[in-house]
Amino acid sequence: MDDVDIGTDLGRLEHCIQEKRVYRYDKDPLDMRFSKFGRPILSPIPGRDLAVYNPDSGFKLDNFGGMLFTRKDLDGVGHLELAWSSDGIHFYRTFKNFLCAYEDPDGGHGLEDPRITPLTYKYNDIKWTEYHIFHTAFKGEEKDENGNGINTTRIKRATTENWKKVQKHPEKLVDGLGNNKNAKLFPEQIDSFYAMLHRPFDENNPDIHLSFSPDMNYWFGNYHLLAPRAGKWDSNRIGANYLFKTIYGWLLGYHGVDNNNIYRMGHAYLDLEDPRKVLWRSKKPDLEPEYKFERQGIVQNVVFGQGFNNDLSKFYYGCADTCISFAEVEINDRNAILETKPIVIN
């Protein structure tokens, strides 16, 4: 299987010991196909923004579909802002920071890349949904008392039930692993534990890791789940973007960066009961920079996003860290998407 190549670096051998590669499928069981809209649907406003990019979506308020995206202000600092749409194409911005970097002690140099996971809770006959917003916080350059650089990039969490009020959680997730980003929470518990994908990147670690937690404060495991593949579109580094439960396994969308620093999107499937088992991984990318607005911007040659709408027919993504567009998505069986199990509160 040529798509199992994890590179020529002998240091990857240790990762192989933890990875459980059980390639069950010889092709994508959902046959996902992406057709680009071909132009931006949200762009920065001159005199107000430097950029709007890297959205997540798939939530509603009244009859409007929502999008949460990174907005970079004129000082180059990122914040998270909401926009709403009645048709999935024309979005109306709130022009307010839903999460403001200047109000986060760990995010003074910016917040970015929200990844939203709805968790359903059940107490007796009552059910409710809470949205967990994992995002990256940049504190800025700092040095310790010896003049050595200290970790400045952290995974942070905020929650909301109604998209009107938001609760900020002060803890820095998996703090002991140092610099960390690209965190995506699983939408249901695995063996009564919360599960999260993330990418610690101290010492140039380019892999997707998997960790578990009883309470979303203490995380353990830190399994090496996926590594870059030498000579392919994801040869340099990778990170998790979206997760859906399907009859074929956890559908994991991820971004891959090659040695020319070109960002593309692809996907994989993980075992539902043991997500350390990788069942399939795309040989070719789903999305790659093609249009001028995807190739030229604050960061060249980037397509990057987390955002499916509610029926998984549209995928919203950031372009060159500057604007937002979307692609129509076709799959061979929408009934293959499964509902997640609620978390029972005793």
Side-chain angles (χ1 to χ4, degrees):
M1 293 176 291
D2 59 357
D3 59 337
V4 189
D5 179 12
I6 59 171
T8 57
D9 184 354
L10 292 179
R12 298 262 187 251
L13 186 59
E14 181 181 353
H15 298 189
C16 284
I17 295 172
Q18 293 193 65
E19 292 172 0
K20 295 184 177 181
R21 298 184 177 277
V22 189
Y23 278 71
R24 184 178 300 168
Y25 311 117
D26 57 5
K27 62 180 181 179
D28 180 4
L30 283 177
D31 190 24
M32 293 183 72
R33 301 175 300 281
F34 293 73
S35 301
K36 292 180 180 178
F37 186 61
R39 61 182 184 272
I41 58 171
L42 273 186
S43 297
I45 298 174
R48 187 181 190 277
D49 314 306
L50 290 181
V52 293
Y53 60 104
N54 296 3
D56 202 350
S57 56
F59 54 92
K60 283 189 173 183
L61 179 63
D62 299 326
N63 293 320
F64 294 93
M67 175 189 291
L68 184 66
F69 59 91
T70 306
R71 174 223 164 208
K72 188 164 285 189
D73 65 23
L74 296 179
D75 292 321
V77 176
H79 313 272
L80 303 186
E81 183 182 320
L82 284 167
W84 301 98
S85 174
S86 60
D87 62 5
I89 299 176
H90 303 91
F91 280 84
Y92 299 92
R93 295 175 55 179
T94 58
F95 295 110
K96 296 189 297 184
N97 293 325
F98 190 69
L99 288 171
C100 178
Y102 301 128
E103 297 173 358
D104 190 319
D106 297 302
H109 280 237
L111 308 176
E112 69 175 25
D113 300 349
R115 289 164 172 82
I116 302 165
T117 299
L119 289 182
T120 301
Y121 297 88
K122 182 179 180 181
Y123 177 74
N124 293 331
D125 294 328
I126 302 172
K127 281 187 178 182
W128 70 96
T129 298
E130 186 174 65
Y131 296 89
H132 293 254
I133 307 163
F134 284 24
H135 54 284
T136 302
F138 299 97
K139 191 172 185 179
E141 296 295 330
E142 292 186 352
K143 294 185 181 298
D144 62 18
E145 58 187 13
N146 298 317
N148 300 313
I150 61 173
N151 301 316
T152 59
T153 304
R154 289 288 188 267
I155 299 165
K156 299 298 291 287
R157 178 171 67 102
T159 52
T160 183
E161 293 184 20
N162 56 18
W163 294 102
K164 296 177 181 179
K165 296 181 179 180
V166 61
Q167 180 179 355
K168 304 168 188 176
H169 299 267
E171 71 275 7
K172 299 180 283 289
L173 302 185
V174 288
D175 193 41
L177 294 177
N179 284 313
N180 211 321
K181 62 192 310 187
N182 299 159
K184 176 63 181 177
L185 181 68
F186 278 72
E188 70 177 35
Q189 290 183 325
I190 307 294
D191 287 338
S192 300
F193 289 99
Y194 297 100
M196 174 182 65
L197 302 173
H198 57 107
R199 180 167 70 87
F201 61 96
D202 283 341
E203 299 179 359
N204 299 315
N205 190 336
D207 304 347
I208 296 176
H209 291 228
L210 171 65
S211 294
F212 298 92
S213 174
D215 57 8
M216 278 196 255
N217 292 317
Y218 169 73
W219 293 85
F220 65 91
N222 194 33
Y223 296 96
H224 292 265
L225 184 67
L226 289 173
R229 297 176 290 186
K232 297 187 181 294
W233 62 273
D234 50 3
S235 59
N236 185 273
R237 59 191 183 277
I238 56 176
N241 289 72
Y242 60 82
L243 272 172
F244 290 98
K245 187 179 183 181
T246 79
I247 61 175
Y248 303 109
W250 292 107
L251 170 60
L252 162 63
Y254 72 95
H255 65 275
V257 187
D258 69 11
N259 292 331
N260 294 315
N261 212 43
I262 299 175
Y263 282 71
R264 299 177 174 92
M265 296 287 303
H267 65 285
Y269 293 88
L270 312 177
D271 187 81
L272 288 178
E273 296 183 357
D274 185 355
R276 293 173 299 173
K277 297 178 180 178
V278 181
L279 307 180
W280 184 86
R281 186 172 175 183
S282 53
K283 296 180 181 179
K284 297 180 179 180
D286 298 325
L287 292 173
E288 58 185 340
E290 298 170 292
Y291 292 101
K292 183 177 180 179
F293 64 87
E294 298 170 331
R295 293 184 289 104
Q296 298 180 14
I298 291 179
V299 181
Q300 312 297 320
N301 295 309
V302 176
V303 293
F304 186 108
Q306 294 74 242
F308 275 94
N309 65 346
N310 292 84
D311 63 3
L312 306 188
S313 64
K314 291 183 174 65
F315 178 69
Y316 301 98
Y317 64 95
C319 310
D321 277 16
T322 301
C323 61
I324 294 170
S325 187
F326 77 92
E328 301 281 356
V329 182
E330 295 183 22
I331 58 177
N332 59 18
D333 182 9
R334 295 198 179 275
N335 292 324
I337 307 299
L338 301 176
E339 290 189 10
T340 55
K341 300 175 184 177
I343 297 170
V344 178
I345 308 296
N346 296 318

